[in-house]
Amino acid sequence: AGTGGTATRGGPPARSPLRGQRLRGGRRHDRRFGGLHPGKAMTAPDWHDAAISGAIDRVRAIARTVTDFPHITEARQWQLTADGVWTGGFWAGLLWLTHERERDPASRERALYFTDRLLPRSADTSNHDLGFMFVPSAVKAWQLTGDMRYHRAALAAARSLAAQHNRVAGYIPGWGFFGKEDWSGNVLIDTLMNMPLLVWAAQQSGEAALLDVVLSHTATTLAHHFRADGSVYHVYKFDPATGAPIGGDTYQGYAADSAWARGQAWAITGLAILGAMLGDKSYVAASERAAAYFLAQLPADGVPPWDFLAPGADQPKDASAGAIASYGLQRLFDVTGHEPYLEAATRLLQSLAESCANAGDEGGLLLHATADLPHGRGIDESTMYGDYYYLKSLLRLARRRHGA
């Protein structure tokens, strides 16, 4: 997905301490399933209820202080964007999740306000993250309010996303709007997470061409992004004129052949969701391969480093990767019924709640996320996408606990 976008920033990236200590990742891995000690309680409600309460409190606190879209933090201060860059949907989504849980008018009012501000972005012609922007915001707004304005906006966003499909090469390029470089030959693993918008739109509209784009793009990704061990490239490059593959690369990972943790989490989650929506067992199998790699690489504390293959024992963590993966593992459990996926998702969430949840007055729901280390952005900070998937995963687990 995108990087810093147009967010305002002040000063160099700062380190956000937790109880005065920066959380760092070692290279010691516990290779039991889930990468975590099995002695941890998985179903005790105490940590879970406290985590949900703390997360919702932070959403409300942020909502009282921001007038634009929070993107990432620097020195625990939210960097705001007027148009939402690629993360605005997650902020609107957090507000909708809060309203759906608490039924409070204030969260609903703010959710509507920020969702409405995103609607003009449905016409973006060069933005591979329209799913990120419109599923948590406009689709959810339509589901909760019945207002067809949001339905129409989400359908328009899906058509704009599909229009970016390179039919010859078989993919949607990444970062068409990013910087001054030509990204037309770059395909990101993140884009899988935007395909569910197209599936939803095809189901709502009956437009088979939207589903054709999903099948084309996903086939290209499965053919080229995955390595034999289940790790994935962040970026794969092609000749946009012919579709000829050039090779794997990265933008936010340590190296082209390393394993950027958030990219691994995007692969788990995007393919699990698509597998469930389309009933495609090959997508589920690919999600399981990505999950097996992610879980085998987790350190004993259960919080992933920003890149699993970055050398040295003092690498920054990426709590956002853990949050995204916990949600993806729950989706994988739903489609496979394989209990260890639910166990691993629960342990990931508990680890995040115990070591990364923010009990302070500044920053996001989660501390110790890393947005873009190679470019010095949001290192050991909060990210809007990490916060969104943290609360989303917590609430999904709560519904499971309570049989809803």
Side-chain angles (χ1 to χ4, degrees):
T3 58
T6 58
T8 57
R9 298 186 183 88
R15 308 300 193 242
S16 295
L18 178 66
R19 299 186 182 94
Q21 298 294 323
R22 184 177 182 186
L23 189 64
R24 290 289 198 163
R27 299 305 301 156
R28 289 178 59 252
H29 299 142
D30 182 339
R31 295 196 177 260
R32 286 170 287 194
F33 194 96
L36 299 167
H37 297 297
K40 281 190 175 181
M42 294 185 304
T43 57
D46 294 348
W47 72 266
H48 189 197
D49 291 342
I52 292 172
S53 177
I56 287 176
D57 285 348
R58 284 303 307 147
V59 174
R60 287 170 165 165
I62 296 165
R64 288 193 294 268
T65 63
V66 300
T67 55
D68 284 329
F69 293 93
H71 178 54
I72 61 175
T73 65
E74 300 287 5
R76 291 202 191 179
Q77 302 302 306
W78 281 107
Q79 309 301 291
L80 305 177
T81 71
D83 67 353
V85 283
W86 66 278
T87 56
F90 297 129
W91 174 232
L94 269 176
L95 293 164
W96 283 119
L97 289 175
T98 300
H99 168 65
E100 194 172 18
R101 168 83 176 188
E102 301 295 318
R103 297 297 174 183
D104 60 320
S107 294
R108 184 181 189 275
E109 179 184 351
R110 300 309 285 164
L112 287 168
Y113 170 74
F114 281 103
T115 300
D116 286 345
R117 283 182 57 176
L118 287 174
L119 298 189
R121 299 288 304 277
S122 66
D124 282 7
T125 58
S126 187
N127 178 0
H128 74 127
D129 283 325
L130 286 167
F132 279 151
M133 298 185 70
F134 280 83
V135 171
S137 60
V139 173
K140 177 60 76 172
W142 167 66
Q143 291 170 340
L144 294 180
T145 70
D147 189 333
M148 290 302 292
R149 287 190 306 121
Y150 299 120
H151 189 274
R152 289 191 293 272
L155 285 179
R159 293 173 184 130
S160 295
L161 179 60
Q164 299 170 52
H165 181 238
N166 182 330
R167 295 183 182 181
V168 173
Y171 62 75
I172 292 174
W175 289 336
F177 64 88
F178 181 61
K180 298 180 180 179
E181 295 185 45
D182 178 11
W183 296 95
S184 61
N186 292 262
V187 180
L188 310 187
I189 195 68
D190 322 29
T191 309
L192 285 173
M193 291 289 293
N194 295 281
M195 296 298 101
L197 174 65
L198 297 182
V199 178
W200 172 85
Q203 293 168 342
Q204 292 292 314
S205 68
E207 296 173 33
L210 298 175
L211 189 56
D212 291 342
V213 173
V214 175
L215 300 179
S216 171
H217 179 90
T218 306
T220 299
T221 300
L222 292 181
H224 297 284
H225 278 76
F226 272 78
R227 306 185 186 104
D229 62 0
S231 65
V232 298
Y233 291 109
H234 177 203
V235 179
Y236 206 92
K237 295 187 173 185
F238 300 85
D239 181 337
T242 66
I246 296 172
D249 202 352
T250 193
Y251 186 81
Q252 288 161 280
Y254 172 74
D257 59 353
S258 69
W260 180 50
R262 192 160 72 248
Q264 201 71 26
W266 290 139
I268 296 167
T269 307
L271 289 164
I273 294 171
L274 288 173
M277 294 181 84
L278 296 174
D280 192 312
K281 293 181 179 179
S282 70
Y283 295 175
V284 176
S287 177
E288 290 191 279
R289 288 175 58 207
Y293 183 90
F294 186 99
L295 294 170
Q297 296 295 319
L298 275 178
D301 66 5
V303 182
W306 73 283
D307 191 304
F308 287 120
L309 299 182
D314 198 33
Q315 293 293 334
K317 294 287 193 176
D318 186 7
S320 77
I324 296 159
S326 72
Y327 179 71
L329 288 164
Q330 287 198 65
R331 297 300 301 257
L332 201 49
F333 167 73
D334 290 338
V335 75
T336 65
H338 190 43
E339 193 74 25
Y341 291 134
L342 180 58
E343 295 170 359
T346 305
R347 290 172 180 148
L348 268 172
L349 279 175
Q350 186 170 358
S351 293
L352 293 173
E354 292 176 348
S355 62
C356 300
N358 183 9
D361 297 327
E362 297 179 319
L365 283 60
L366 284 178
L367 305 176
H368 309 305
T370 296
D372 184 359
L373 188 145
H375 301 91
R377 297 178 179 131
I379 303 169
D380 195 29
E381 292 285 351
S382 299
T383 65
M384 190 43 58
Y385 37 90
D387 285 0
Y388 172 77
Y389 283 103
Y390 177 58
L391 183 56
K392 190 173 180 69
S393 191
L394 284 170
L395 294 178
R396 192 176 189 88
L397 187 63
R399 290 193 298 271
R400 201 181 302 279
R401 263 182 54 205
H402 297 295

